[in-house]
Amino acid sequence: MNAYELARAQYASIGVDTERALSLLLAQPISIHCWQGDDVTGFENAGEALSGGIQATGNYPGKARSPQELMQDMDKALSLVPGKHRINLHASYAVFSGAPRERDQLLPEDFDAWVDYAAARGLGIDFNPTFFSHPMVKDNLTLSSPDEAVRAFWVRHGIACRRVASAIAARLGSPVLCNVWIPDGYKDVPADRLGPRLRLQKSLDEIFAEALPGVIDCVESKVFGIGLEAFTVGSSEFYIAYAARHPSVYTLLDNGHYHPQEFVSDKIPALLCAFDKVPLHVTRPMRWDSDHVVRLEGELCEIAKEIVRNDALSRVLIGLDFFDASINRVAAWVVGVRAMQRALLQALLTPWEDLKRLQDGARFTRLLALDEEYKGYPWGAVWDEACRRAGVPEREAWLDEVEAYERDVLSKRA
């Protein structure tokens, strides 16, 4: 027997079907963020610094400088992870066929290149309006600005992006998650916390007023940003309350956007009680929101457990969100996607119904002991089998391909 068959038999002894786990894993899409490949630069103003609470650190060579290079790099990353996935775009990644359009005038055709790319590969697309790194971000405010010209500009941008998302959904035959995150806030303690939130509420009502097919609308909170340390308008409490009153809007959880002692893994089952969908951005905060590359450890594993043991693979919309400019960017994608998948696989290979019965029966000693022992079962052999079936490299063999790609392609970029 090979390693997988031995593992299959061992898991069967505790009532776990590895074939079912593999089938679910390989069918589970993860939305892979395009902005890891070029340090969140986008295609509007190449070379300009990020602003609006966003920062990518490092200057590793080989950054994508054009849509063609970014798509080429994404192709390489996708070839090294099992399964069929989605790509996640920001509006700042529009590919114009003529003169660039302002953000409040964006049209579906500005993303035709991405739709063609996704359609040719059988990928879905998710979408984000870009409320940062733009001259109309005034005093770190967009949708909550007291300047009506600023607020109205960003409302128009949000409306335009929802229409883009709907057009993409129609062309690909797959719903598009359209996520609103804004950097709005204040560096020091504000004199008025209510006013900015009432303006944000008004702006969101205007953005979401139009019913658009194929769009899954969501709002993403944050504790703070760079230069926004004292107060963030779009807080978790504000957005959860807003989504609860607007049935077509969901609240997106980013596990880097909370206090270090708050855990998104605990928030997932809380929101599953009230919402049929829970959009998710998975990152790895280092103390605070630093968007490090996802690794197979700690909170990532807990997030995967909550998704799997609550039978929520179809309800939790998993996306990644990190940007590290200090390492090979293609490798960062591969490490992050494979880590998320392996966390899901570990959760899929755990007999949760048995463990739940132990909890409900107050058999806490046995629950603790078995939960620990199951961690030592040969899930790695099942992961290797997933890679074999998907035709991607097993274990660390993918790194040789990335290093060859760096030598042959990335190193030649100025």
Side-chain angles (χ1 to χ4, degrees), residues 160-197:
C161 286
R162 290 186 71 239
R163 291 173 178 170
V164 168
S166 183
I168 292 173
R171 282 193 57 190
L172 294 179
S174 174
V176 172
L177 184 71
C178 189
N179 176 49
V180 170
W181 174 82
I182 61 172
D184 295 36
Y186 293 96
K187 182 179 179 67
D188 214 332
V189 179
D192 178 15
R193 288 184 169 92
L194 179 61
R197 286 179 172 146

Side-chain angles (χ1 to χ4, degrees), residues 10-87:
Q10 192 167 0
Y11 276 110
S13 72
I14 58 170
V16 172
D17 182 351
T18 58
E19 288 296 309
R20 178 178 181 273
L22 285 169
S23 177
L24 289 171
L25 178 72
L26 294 175
Q28 181 63 40
I30 294 170
S31 194
I32 303 171
H33 55 307
C34 73
W35 52 91
Q36 164 58 45
D38 76 333
D39 309 338
V40 207
T41 302
F43 305 136
E44 292 177 323
N45 302 296
E48 291 194 10
L50 295 171
S51 63
I54 298 287
Q55 186 176 18
T57 57
N59 57 355
Y60 197 89
K63 178 176 79 170
R65 303 161 300 178
S66 67
Q68 295 73 26
E69 289 183 351
L70 185 56
M71 292 176 190
Q72 180 184 20
D73 293 350
M74 293 194 82
D75 272 341
K76 189 61 187 179
L78 287 164
S79 74
L80 300 173
V81 298
K84 278 286 186 183
H85 299 288
R86 305 176 65 82
I87 56 173

Side-chain angles (χ1 to χ4, degrees), residues 113-253:
W114 284 108
V115 175
D116 292 343
Y117 172 87
R121 293 155 179 79
L123 308 172
I125 289 179
D126 295 312
F127 199 76
N128 307 262
T130 305
F131 292 95
F132 55 86
S133 296
H134 191 278
M136 284 297 281
V137 180
K138 303 287 190 181
D139 302 317
N140 289 325
L141 299 175
T142 61
L143 294 178
S144 71
S145 175
D147 183 333
E148 181 58 22
V150 171
R151 193 191 71 83
F153 174 88
W154 290 111
V155 167
R156 292 194 299 272
H157 176 60
I159 291 170
C161 286
R162 290 186 71 239
R163 291 173 178 170
V164 168
S166 183
I168 292 173
R171 282 193 57 190
L172 294 179
S174 174
V176 172
L177 184 71
C178 189
N179 176 49
V180 170
W181 174 82
I182 61 172
D184 295 36
Y186 293 96
K187 182 179 179 67
D188 214 332
V189 179
D192 178 15
R193 288 184 169 92
L194 179 61
R197 286 179 172 146
L198 290 174
R199 290 191 292 271
L200 173 56
Q201 179 175 270
K202 177 183 178 183
S203 296
L204 294 175
D205 287 347
E206 293 171 4
I207 289 171
F208 297 136
E210 183 180 12
L212 289 169
V215 179
I216 303 172
D217 289 305
C218 63
V219 286
E220 177 183 0
S221 68
K222 195 170 186 178
V223 172
F224 82 109
I226 300 166
L228 315 164
E229 291 84 2
F231 172 73
T232 300
V233 182
S235 67
S236 178
E237 295 81 2
F238 174 86
Y239 279 143
I240 289 175
Y242 186 90
R245 291 184 291 110
H246 297 77
S248 64
V249 179
Y250 298 91
T251 182
L252 180 143
L253 301 174

